[in-house]
Amino acid sequence: MSDTIELAVTRYRPEQDTQPWEQRYTVPCSDDMSVLDALNYIKDALDPSLSHRWSCRMAICGSCGVMVNGEPKLSCKTFLRDYREAGVLEVRALDNLPVERDLVADISGVVEHIEAVKPWLIRHSEAPVDTAHSQTPAQMARYHAFSQCINCALCYAACPQFGRNPAFLGPAALTLAQRYNLDSRDEGSSERMPWLNAEEGVWSCTFVGYCSEVCPKDVDPASAINRGKVASDINYGVNLFRLLRGKGDA
Amino acid sequence: MRKPWQPQQPRSWWLRNPAYRRYMLREATALPLLLYTLLLLAGIVQFSRGEAAFATWLSWLQTPAGLLLQGIALAAALLHAVTWVALVPKILVIDSDRLRIDPRHVLRAHQLGALAGNLGLVGATLWLLWPAGGA
Ligand code: SF4
Ligand code: FES
């Protein structure tokens, strides 16, 4: 097919602009073209000054997130054919994040939140390298979905609580905390619980649930966070008990 | 030099997306329930003022405004209960080496619990009122 479709791209060039503005481009539209293909077409054939991020083109690197007609999407996993009826696609940088330039959102705050919860296996003592920490399939299934996150930050663009308060650790960071707390090989939950329990932790979530709808990897961060609330409640009770017995936090 | 654009969350953020509007509707169910609670409180106050005052309150319940408020409160309570119970399997996951319960059973248990609680309440009310009603 040789039809075309219009892209209304929100542009922001820090050198010239004081605020974002809209520029329209007409691009070819075929069944196999993604929004990322359209952006690359603009960059290659129409306007080399347009900035956008991408790398893998297959929903793995997590770098191509943009808002498409108001919804957070991976541009490589979103196809023009699904917008033929709408006729025009509004593309802008991810919501709730500072815009560095054009479609490039600055996700460094999100990355800091993710780092804060120590998303790695923590052991009290390292076992000798020749023995593996074995795990049954049932034990792996408990955290498997939560480990599929590609740090694309679509869930942050979807979260009105993060939009209100960027200090909120947010969906992906709290999900990763749960992912490691639920891992039978991990012994580090006492280092992550203060983050879950904090004002910026799970209790800032009001279960809007849109993060889980937009997640391109079916991670279900809303479920992870709200299960984190149950974990935080239990942790509170355990800590109260330990306090009475003169012990430190669990 | 960097000069990032800092977006501000507009006050109308919740109008922008159907998912947000559904969320706000769920949260807004608290408002009719607040009004209904105030209505019940007013009933208690009127009761303490004597029979005539209480009878006025009772008859207000049957005016169109009274019926409308109660209807909206009932709808709000049902919507809240249904959407909340539907979320339970995402929150209450019982899955450890010692004990695992199928999420569908967790959901069923909550639905049955809600049903039993409500039927029990209606049953108990009818049972308590029966002699008075018959007299
Ligand atoms: S939880 Fe999903 S939406 Fe959020 S960063 Fe991870 S993959 Fe992206
Ligand atoms: S380009 Fe890697 S996720 Fe889209």
Side-chain angles (χ1 to χ4, degrees), chain B residues 74-132:
Chain B
L74 180 65
L78 285 174
L79 178 73
H80 192 103
V82 168
T83 51
W84 190 243
V85 168
L87 292 176
V88 163
K90 284 184 174 243
I91 304 169
L92 194 63
V93 176
I94 300 168
D95 181 7
S96 72
D97 287 345
R98 269 174 296 172
L99 180 66
R100 183 186 139 72
I101 302 181
D102 189 322
R104 281 169 305 186
H105 296 160
V106 175
L107 180 62
R108 278 278 172 277
H110 276 78
Q111 289 167 335
L112 287 177
L115 202 65
N118 280 295
L119 288 180
L121 203 63
V122 173
T125 313
L126 288 178
W127 185 71
L128 281 175
L129 291 181
W130 199 251

Short mmCIF file of all heavy atoms in Angstrom, two decimals, chain B residues 74-132:
data_model
loop_
_atom_site.label_atom_id
_atom_site.label_comp_id
_atom_site.label_asym_id
_atom_site.label_seq_id
_atom_site.Cartn_x
_atom_site.Cartn_y
_atom_site.Cartn_z
N LEU B 74 -26.33 3.59 47.04
CA LEU B 74 -26.32 2.13 46.83
C LEU B 74 -25.49 1.78 45.59
O LEU B 74 -24.63 0.89 45.63
CB LEU B 74 -27.75 1.61 46.68
CG LEU B 74 -27.87 0.10 46.44
CD1 LEU B 74 -27.38 -0.67 47.67
CD2 LEU B 74 -29.30 -0.30 46.11
N ALA B 75 -25.71 2.55 44.50
CA ALA B 75 -24.96 2.28 43.27
C ALA B 75 -23.46 2.48 43.52
O ALA B 75 -22.63 1.68 43.07
CB ALA B 75 -25.45 3.20 42.15
N ALA B 76 -23.11 3.54 44.25
CA ALA B 76 -21.70 3.83 44.53
C ALA B 76 -21.07 2.71 45.35
O ALA B 76 -19.96 2.25 45.08
CB ALA B 76 -21.56 5.17 45.26
N ALA B 77 -21.82 2.26 46.37
CA ALA B 77 -21.30 1.19 47.23
C ALA B 77 -21.08 -0.08 46.42
O ALA B 77 -20.05 -0.76 46.56
CB ALA B 77 -22.25 0.92 48.40
N LEU B 78 -22.03 -0.39 45.53
CA LEU B 78 -21.90 -1.60 44.71
C LEU B 78 -20.71 -1.48 43.76
O LEU B 78 -19.91 -2.41 43.63
CB LEU B 78 -23.18 -1.85 43.92
CG LEU B 78 -24.34 -2.41 44.75
CD1 LEU B 78 -25.60 -2.49 43.90
CD2 LEU B 78 -23.99 -3.78 45.31
N LEU B 79 -20.58 -0.32 43.10
CA LEU B 79 -19.48 -0.13 42.17
C LEU B 79 -18.15 -0.27 42.89
O LEU B 79 -17.22 -0.96 42.42
CB LEU B 79 -19.56 1.26 41.52
CG LEU B 79 -18.41 1.56 40.56
CD1 LEU B 79 -18.56 0.75 39.28
CD2 LEU B 79 -18.32 3.05 40.22
N HIS B 80 -18.06 0.36 44.07
CA HIS B 80 -16.81 0.28 44.82
C HIS B 80 -16.50 -1.17 45.21
O HIS B 80 -15.39 -1.64 45.04
CB HIS B 80 -16.88 1.15 46.07
CG HIS B 80 -15.55 1.33 46.71
ND1 HIS B 80 -14.82 2.49 46.57
CD2 HIS B 80 -14.79 0.49 47.43
CE1 HIS B 80 -13.66 2.34 47.19
NE2 HIS B 80 -13.62 1.15 47.74
N ALA B 81 -17.55 -1.86 45.70
CA ALA B 81 -17.33 -3.24 46.15
C ALA B 81 -16.89 -4.13 44.99
O ALA B 81 -15.92 -4.89 45.09
CB ALA B 81 -18.60 -3.78 46.80
N VAL B 82 -17.60 -4.01 43.86
CA VAL B 82 -17.30 -4.88 42.71
C VAL B 82 -15.89 -4.62 42.18
O VAL B 82 -15.10 -5.55 41.97
CB VAL B 82 -18.35 -4.69 41.59
CG1 VAL B 82 -17.91 -5.35 40.31
CG2 VAL B 82 -19.69 -5.25 42.05
N THR B 83 -15.53 -3.32 41.99
CA THR B 83 -14.19 -3.03 41.44
C THR B 83 -13.11 -3.41 42.45
O THR B 83 -12.04 -3.86 42.07
CB THR B 83 -14.05 -1.54 41.07
OG1 THR B 83 -14.47 -0.74 42.18
CG2 THR B 83 -14.89 -1.19 39.86
N TRP B 84 -13.40 -3.24 43.73
CA TRP B 84 -12.38 -3.54 44.73
C TRP B 84 -12.15 -5.06 44.85
O TRP B 84 -11.02 -5.52 44.86
CB TRP B 84 -12.77 -2.92 46.08
CG TRP B 84 -11.65 -3.01 47.06
CD1 TRP B 84 -11.63 -3.70 48.23
CD2 TRP B 84 -10.35 -2.42 46.92
NE1 TRP B 84 -10.40 -3.57 48.82
CE2 TRP B 84 -9.59 -2.80 48.05
CE3 TRP B 84 -9.74 -1.62 45.94
CZ2 TRP B 84 -8.27 -2.41 48.22
CZ3 TRP B 84 -8.43 -1.24 46.12
CH2 TRP B 84 -7.72 -1.63 47.25
N VAL B 85 -13.25 -5.79 44.92
CA VAL B 85 -13.09 -7.25 45.04
C VAL B 85 -12.38 -7.82 43.81
O VAL B 85 -11.58 -8.74 43.91
CB VAL B 85 -14.47 -7.92 45.28
CG1 VAL B 85 -14.39 -9.43 45.11
CG2 VAL B 85 -14.99 -7.58 46.67
N ALA B 86 -12.64 -7.21 42.63
CA ALA B 86 -11.98 -7.68 41.42
C ALA B 86 -10.46 -7.52 41.51
O ALA B 86 -9.70 -8.25 40.86
CB ALA B 86 -12.52 -6.93 40.20
N LEU B 87 -10.00 -6.56 42.30
CA LEU B 87 -8.55 -6.31 42.42
C LEU B 87 -7.88 -7.25 43.43
O LEU B 87 -6.65 -7.36 43.45
CB LEU B 87 -8.29 -4.87 42.84
CG LEU B 87 -8.63 -3.77 41.82
CD1 LEU B 87 -8.41 -2.39 42.41
CD2 LEU B 87 -7.78 -3.93 40.57
N VAL B 88 -8.69 -7.92 44.25
CA VAL B 88 -8.12 -8.71 45.35
C VAL B 88 -7.04 -9.70 44.90
O VAL B 88 -5.97 -9.76 45.51
CB VAL B 88 -9.24 -9.41 46.15
CG1 VAL B 88 -8.70 -10.54 47.00
CG2 VAL B 88 -9.96 -8.40 47.02
N PRO B 89 -7.25 -10.47 43.80
CA PRO B 89 -6.22 -11.45 43.44
C PRO B 89 -4.87 -10.82 43.07
O PRO B 89 -3.85 -11.49 43.08
CB PRO B 89 -6.81 -12.17 42.21
CG PRO B 89 -8.24 -11.81 42.18
CD PRO B 89 -8.40 -10.53 42.89
N LYS B 90 -4.88 -9.52 42.74
CA LYS B 90 -3.61 -8.85 42.44
C LYS B 90 -2.89 -8.46 43.72
O LYS B 90 -1.70 -8.15 43.70
CB LYS B 90 -3.87 -7.57 41.63
CG LYS B 90 -4.19 -7.83 40.19
CD LYS B 90 -4.32 -6.50 39.47
CE LYS B 90 -4.50 -6.71 37.98
NZ LYS B 90 -3.42 -6.16 37.20
N ILE B 91 -3.63 -8.36 44.82
CA ILE B 91 -3.05 -7.85 46.06
C ILE B 91 -2.73 -9.00 47.02
O ILE B 91 -1.64 -9.07 47.59
CB ILE B 91 -4.03 -6.87 46.75
CG1 ILE B 91 -4.41 -5.74 45.79
CG2 ILE B 91 -3.41 -6.31 48.02
CD1 ILE B 91 -5.55 -4.89 46.26
N LEU B 92 -3.72 -9.87 47.18
CA LEU B 92 -3.58 -10.95 48.16
C LEU B 92 -3.15 -12.22 47.43
O LEU B 92 -3.99 -12.96 46.93
CB LEU B 92 -4.91 -11.16 48.88
CG LEU B 92 -4.86 -12.00 50.14
CD1 LEU B 92 -3.99 -11.33 51.20
CD2 LEU B 92 -6.26 -12.22 50.68
N VAL B 93 -1.85 -12.41 47.33
CA VAL B 93 -1.32 -13.59 46.64
C VAL B 93 -0.73 -14.53 47.70
O VAL B 93 0.22 -14.18 48.39
CB VAL B 93 -0.24 -13.20 45.61
CG1 VAL B 93 0.36 -14.43 44.97
CG2 VAL B 93 -0.85 -12.29 44.55
N ILE B 94 -1.36 -15.69 47.84
CA ILE B 94 -0.89 -16.65 48.85
C ILE B 94 -0.13 -17.74 48.12
O ILE B 94 -0.71 -18.59 47.46
CB ILE B 94 -2.09 -17.21 49.65
CG1 ILE B 94 -2.80 -16.04 50.33
CG2 ILE B 94 -1.61 -18.23 50.69
CD1 ILE B 94 -4.14 -16.38 50.90
N ASP B 95 1.18 -17.65 48.17
CA ASP B 95 2.03 -18.53 47.37
C ASP B 95 3.40 -18.64 48.03
O ASP B 95 4.27 -17.80 47.85
CB ASP B 95 2.15 -17.95 45.95
CG ASP B 95 3.00 -18.83 45.04
OD1 ASP B 95 3.37 -19.94 45.47
OD2 ASP B 95 3.28 -18.40 43.91
N SER B 96 3.55 -19.67 48.88
CA SER B 96 4.86 -19.90 49.50
C SER B 96 5.15 -21.38 49.42
O SER B 96 4.31 -22.17 48.96
CB SER B 96 4.84 -19.42 50.95
OG SER B 96 4.06 -20.30 51.73
N ASP B 97 6.32 -21.79 49.88
CA ASP B 97 6.67 -23.21 49.83
C ASP B 97 5.68 -24.03 50.66
O ASP B 97 5.37 -25.17 50.33
CB ASP B 97 8.09 -23.43 50.37
CG ASP B 97 9.14 -22.92 49.37
OD1 ASP B 97 8.75 -22.70 48.20
OD2 ASP B 97 10.29 -22.73 49.76
N ARG B 98 5.16 -23.44 51.73
CA ARG B 98 4.26 -24.19 52.62
C ARG B 98 2.81 -24.14 52.16
O ARG B 98 2.06 -25.10 52.33
CB ARG B 98 4.36 -23.63 54.04
CG ARG B 98 5.41 -24.33 54.87
CD ARG B 98 5.58 -23.65 56.20
NE ARG B 98 6.07 -22.29 56.02
CZ ARG B 98 6.18 -21.40 56.99
NH1 ARG B 98 5.81 -21.70 58.21
NH2 ARG B 98 6.67 -20.20 56.76
N LEU B 99 2.39 -23.00 51.61
CA LEU B 99 0.98 -22.84 51.30
C LEU B 99 0.79 -22.10 49.98
O LEU B 99 1.38 -21.05 49.76
CB LEU B 99 0.30 -22.04 52.43
CG LEU B 99 -1.19 -21.76 52.27
CD1 LEU B 99 -1.98 -23.05 52.34
CD2 LEU B 99 -1.66 -20.81 53.37
N ARG B 100 -0.02 -22.69 49.10
CA ARG B 100 -0.35 -21.99 47.86
C ARG B 100 -1.85 -22.10 47.62
O ARG B 100 -2.41 -23.19 47.68
CB ARG B 100 0.40 -22.63 46.68
CG ARG B 100 0.15 -21.88 45.39
CD ARG B 100 0.74 -22.54 44.17
NE ARG B 100 -0.21 -22.44 43.08
CZ ARG B 100 -0.48 -21.31 42.42
NH1 ARG B 100 0.13 -20.23 42.72
NH2 ARG B 100 -1.40 -21.28 41.46
N ILE B 101 -2.49 -20.97 47.40
CA ILE B 101 -3.93 -20.99 47.10
C ILE B 101 -4.14 -20.37 45.73
O ILE B 101 -3.62 -19.28 45.45
CB ILE B 101 -4.73 -20.22 48.18
CG1 ILE B 101 -4.49 -20.85 49.57
CG2 ILE B 101 -6.22 -20.25 47.85
CD1 ILE B 101 -5.25 -20.19 50.68
N ASP B 102 -4.87 -21.05 44.90
CA ASP B 102 -5.18 -20.57 43.55
C ASP B 102 -5.85 -19.19 43.64
O ASP B 102 -6.81 -19.03 44.39
CB ASP B 102 -6.14 -21.59 42.90
CG ASP B 102 -6.36 -21.30 41.43
OD1 ASP B 102 -6.45 -20.11 41.07
OD2 ASP B 102 -6.44 -22.27 40.65
N PRO B 103 -5.34 -18.21 42.90
CA PRO B 103 -5.92 -16.85 42.97
C PRO B 103 -7.42 -16.83 42.69
O PRO B 103 -8.15 -16.02 43.26
CB PRO B 103 -5.17 -16.08 41.87
CG PRO B 103 -3.96 -16.86 41.57
CD PRO B 103 -4.21 -18.28 41.98
N ARG B 104 -7.89 -17.76 41.84
CA ARG B 104 -9.33 -17.78 41.56
C ARG B 104 -10.12 -18.13 42.82
O ARG B 104 -11.23 -17.64 43.03
CB ARG B 104 -9.64 -18.80 40.45
CG ARG B 104 -9.33 -18.27 39.06
CD ARG B 104 -9.39 -19.37 38.06
NE ARG B 104 -8.49 -20.47 38.46
CZ ARG B 104 -8.24 -21.53 37.72
NH1 ARG B 104 -8.83 -21.69 36.56
NH2 ARG B 104 -7.40 -22.46 38.14
N HIS B 105 -9.53 -19.01 43.66
CA HIS B 105 -10.22 -19.36 44.90
C HIS B 105 -10.22 -18.18 45.87
O HIS B 105 -11.18 -17.98 46.60
CB HIS B 105 -9.56 -20.59 45.54
CG HIS B 105 -9.69 -21.82 44.69
ND1 HIS B 105 -8.86 -22.91 44.83
CD2 HIS B 105 -10.54 -22.10 43.68
CE1 HIS B 105 -9.19 -23.81 43.93
NE2 HIS B 105 -10.21 -23.35 43.22
N VAL B 106 -9.13 -17.42 45.87
CA VAL B 106 -9.08 -16.23 46.73
C VAL B 106 -10.19 -15.27 46.33
O VAL B 106 -10.92 -14.73 47.17
CB VAL B 106 -7.69 -15.54 46.62
CG1 VAL B 106 -7.67 -14.24 47.41
CG2 VAL B 106 -6.59 -16.48 47.10
N LEU B 107 -10.36 -15.11 45.00
CA LEU B 107 -11.41 -14.21 44.50
C LEU B 107 -12.79 -14.73 44.88
O LEU B 107 -13.62 -14.00 45.43
CB LEU B 107 -11.30 -14.09 42.98
CG LEU B 107 -12.32 -13.19 42.29
CD1 LEU B 107 -12.18 -11.76 42.78
CD2 LEU B 107 -12.16 -13.25 40.78
N ARG B 108 -13.03 -16.03 44.63
CA ARG B 108 -14.32 -16.64 44.97
C ARG B 108 -14.63 -16.47 46.45
O ARG B 108 -15.75 -16.13 46.82
CB ARG B 108 -14.29 -18.14 44.65
CG ARG B 108 -14.57 -18.47 43.21
CD ARG B 108 -16.06 -18.49 42.89
NE ARG B 108 -16.28 -18.62 41.46
CZ ARG B 108 -16.26 -17.60 40.61
NH1 ARG B 108 -16.09 -16.37 41.06
NH2 ARG B 108 -16.44 -17.79 39.32
N ALA B 109 -13.62 -16.70 47.30
CA ALA B 109 -13.84 -16.59 48.75
C ALA B 109 -14.29 -15.18 49.11
O ALA B 109 -15.20 -15.00 49.94
CB ALA B 109 -12.56 -16.94 49.50
N HIS B 110 -13.70 -14.17 48.46
CA HIS B 110 -14.11 -12.80 48.76
C HIS B 110 -15.52 -12.52 48.26
O HIS B 110 -16.31 -11.87 48.95
CB HIS B 110 -13.12 -11.81 48.14
CG HIS B 110 -11.92 -11.58 49.01
ND1 HIS B 110 -10.88 -12.47 49.08
CD2 HIS B 110 -11.62 -10.58 49.87
CE1 HIS B 110 -9.98 -12.02 49.93
NE2 HIS B 110 -10.41 -10.88 50.42
N GLN B 111 -15.82 -13.02 47.05
CA GLN B 111 -17.17 -12.79 46.53
C GLN B 111 -18.21 -13.45 47.41
O GLN B 111 -19.23 -12.85 47.77
CB GLN B 111 -17.27 -13.32 45.09
CG GLN B 111 -16.48 -12.48 44.10
CD GLN B 111 -16.32 -13.16 42.75
OE1 GLN B 111 -16.37 -14.38 42.66
NE2 GLN B 111 -16.10 -12.37 41.71
N LEU B 112 -17.93 -14.72 47.80
CA LEU B 112 -18.89 -15.44 48.66
C LEU B 112 -19.00 -14.76 50.02
O LEU B 112 -20.08 -14.64 50.58
CB LEU B 112 -18.44 -16.90 48.82
CG LEU B 112 -18.63 -17.77 47.56
CD1 LEU B 112 -18.09 -19.18 47.80
CD2 LEU B 112 -20.11 -17.82 47.17
N GLY B 113 -17.86 -14.31 50.55
CA GLY B 113 -17.87 -13.62 51.84
C GLY B 113 -18.74 -12.37 51.78
O GLY B 113 -19.56 -12.13 52.68
N ALA B 114 -18.59 -11.60 50.70
CA ALA B 114 -19.39 -10.38 50.57
C ALA B 114 -20.88 -10.73 50.46
O ALA B 114 -21.73 -10.10 51.10
CB ALA B 114 -18.94 -9.60 49.33
N LEU B 115 -21.17 -11.78 49.67
CA LEU B 115 -22.55 -12.19 49.50
C LEU B 115 -23.15 -12.65 50.83
O LEU B 115 -24.24 -12.22 51.24
CB LEU B 115 -22.61 -13.33 48.47
CG LEU B 115 -23.93 -13.56 47.78
CD1 LEU B 115 -24.28 -12.35 46.92
CD2 LEU B 115 -23.87 -14.82 46.92
N ALA B 116 -22.40 -13.53 51.54
CA ALA B 116 -22.89 -14.05 52.82
C ALA B 116 -23.08 -12.92 53.82
O ALA B 116 -24.10 -12.87 54.53
CB ALA B 116 -21.90 -15.09 53.36
N GLY B 117 -22.15 -11.98 53.85
CA GLY B 117 -22.25 -10.86 54.79
C GLY B 117 -23.51 -10.05 54.53
O GLY B 117 -24.26 -9.73 55.45
N ASN B 118 -23.76 -9.75 53.26
CA ASN B 118 -24.92 -8.92 52.93
C ASN B 118 -26.23 -9.64 53.16
O ASN B 118 -27.18 -9.07 53.73
CB ASN B 118 -24.82 -8.44 51.48
CG ASN B 118 -23.87 -7.27 51.36
OD1 ASN B 118 -24.12 -6.20 51.89
ND2 ASN B 118 -22.75 -7.49 50.70
N LEU B 119 -26.29 -10.93 52.74
CA LEU B 119 -27.51 -11.68 52.99
C LEU B 119 -27.75 -11.82 54.48
O LEU B 119 -28.88 -11.69 54.96
CB LEU B 119 -27.42 -13.07 52.32
CG LEU B 119 -27.50 -13.07 50.80
CD1 LEU B 119 -27.38 -14.49 50.25
CD2 LEU B 119 -28.81 -12.44 50.34
N GLY B 120 -26.66 -12.06 55.23
CA GLY B 120 -26.78 -12.19 56.68
C GLY B 120 -27.34 -10.93 57.30
O GLY B 120 -28.20 -10.98 58.18
N LEU B 121 -26.87 -9.79 56.81
CA LEU B 121 -27.32 -8.51 57.35
C LEU B 121 -28.81 -8.30 57.09
O LEU B 121 -29.57 -7.95 57.99
CB LEU B 121 -26.51 -7.39 56.69
CG LEU B 121 -26.41 -6.08 57.45
CD1 LEU B 121 -25.70 -6.29 58.77
CD2 LEU B 121 -25.67 -5.05 56.61
N VAL B 122 -29.21 -8.57 55.85
CA VAL B 122 -30.63 -8.42 55.50
C VAL B 122 -31.47 -9.39 56.34
O VAL B 122 -32.50 -9.02 56.92
CB VAL B 122 -30.85 -8.66 53.99
CG1 VAL B 122 -32.34 -8.68 53.67
CG2 VAL B 122 -30.15 -7.59 53.18
N GLY B 123 -30.96 -10.64 56.44
CA GLY B 123 -31.68 -11.66 57.21
C GLY B 123 -31.84 -11.24 58.66
O GLY B 123 -32.93 -11.31 59.24
N ALA B 124 -30.74 -10.76 59.26
CA ALA B 124 -30.77 -10.38 60.67
C ALA B 124 -31.74 -9.22 60.88
O ALA B 124 -32.50 -9.19 61.85
CB ALA B 124 -29.37 -10.00 61.13
N THR B 125 -31.73 -8.26 59.94
CA THR B 125 -32.63 -7.11 60.07
C THR B 125 -34.08 -7.56 60.03
O THR B 125 -34.89 -7.17 60.87
CB THR B 125 -32.37 -6.11 58.91
OG1 THR B 125 -30.97 -5.91 58.79
CG2 THR B 125 -33.03 -4.78 59.18
N LEU B 126 -34.40 -8.42 59.05
CA LEU B 126 -35.77 -8.91 58.95
C LEU B 126 -36.17 -9.66 60.20
O LEU B 126 -37.27 -9.48 60.74
CB LEU B 126 -35.92 -9.82 57.72
CG LEU B 126 -35.88 -9.12 56.36
CD1 LEU B 126 -35.98 -10.14 55.23
CD2 LEU B 126 -37.02 -8.10 56.25
N TRP B 127 -35.25 -10.47 60.70
CA TRP B 127 -35.55 -11.29 61.89
C TRP B 127 -35.81 -10.40 63.10
O TRP B 127 -36.73 -10.63 63.87
CB TRP B 127 -34.35 -12.22 62.14
CG TRP B 127 -34.59 -13.19 63.26
CD1 TRP B 127 -35.43 -14.27 63.26
CD2 TRP B 127 -33.99 -13.15 64.55
NE1 TRP B 127 -35.39 -14.92 64.45
CE2 TRP B 127 -34.50 -14.25 65.27
CE3 TRP B 127 -33.06 -12.31 65.15
CZ2 TRP B 127 -34.10 -14.52 66.58
CZ3 TRP B 127 -32.66 -12.58 66.45
CH2 TRP B 127 -33.18 -13.67 67.16
N LEU B 128 -35.02 -9.32 63.24
CA LEU B 128 -35.19 -8.42 64.37
C LEU B 128 -36.49 -7.63 64.26
O LEU B 128 -37.14 -7.34 65.26
CB LEU B 128 -34.01 -7.43 64.43
CG LEU B 128 -32.72 -7.99 65.04
CD1 LEU B 128 -31.61 -6.96 64.92
CD2 LEU B 128 -32.94 -8.37 66.50
N LEU B 129 -36.84 -7.27 63.02
CA LEU B 129 -38.02 -6.42 62.84
C LEU B 129 -39.32 -7.22 62.81
O LEU B 129 -40.39 -6.66 62.92
CB LEU B 129 -37.89 -5.63 61.53
CG LEU B 129 -36.82 -4.55 61.52
CD1 LEU B 129 -36.83 -3.83 60.18
CD2 LEU B 129 -37.05 -3.55 62.65
N TRP B 130 -39.20 -8.53 62.63
CA TRP B 130 -40.39 -9.34 62.37
C TRP B 130 -41.49 -9.16 63.42
O TRP B 130 -42.63 -8.83 63.05
CB TRP B 130 -39.99 -10.80 62.22
CG TRP B 130 -41.06 -11.57 61.52
CD1 TRP B 130 -41.87 -12.51 62.07
CD2 TRP B 130 -41.44 -11.44 60.16
NE1 TRP B 130 -42.74 -13.00 61.14
CE2 TRP B 130 -42.51 -12.35 59.95
CE3 TRP B 130 -41.03 -10.64 59.10
CZ2 TRP B 130 -43.14 -12.48 58.72
CZ3 TRP B 130 -41.65 -10.79 57.89
CH2 TRP B 130 -42.69 -11.70 57.71
N PRO B 131 -41.16 -9.34 64.73
CA PRO B 131 -42.24 -9.22 65.74
C PRO B 131 -42.88 -7.83 65.69
O PRO B 131 -44.10 -7.70 65.73
CB PRO B 131 -41.52 -9.42 67.07
CG PRO B 131 -40.17 -9.97 66.74
CD PRO B 131 -39.86 -9.58 65.34
N ALA B 132 -42.03 -6.78 65.53
CA ALA B 132 -42.57 -5.42 65.51
C ALA B 132 -43.46 -5.22 64.28
O ALA B 132 -44.53 -4.65 64.37
CB ALA B 132 -41.43 -4.40 65.49
#
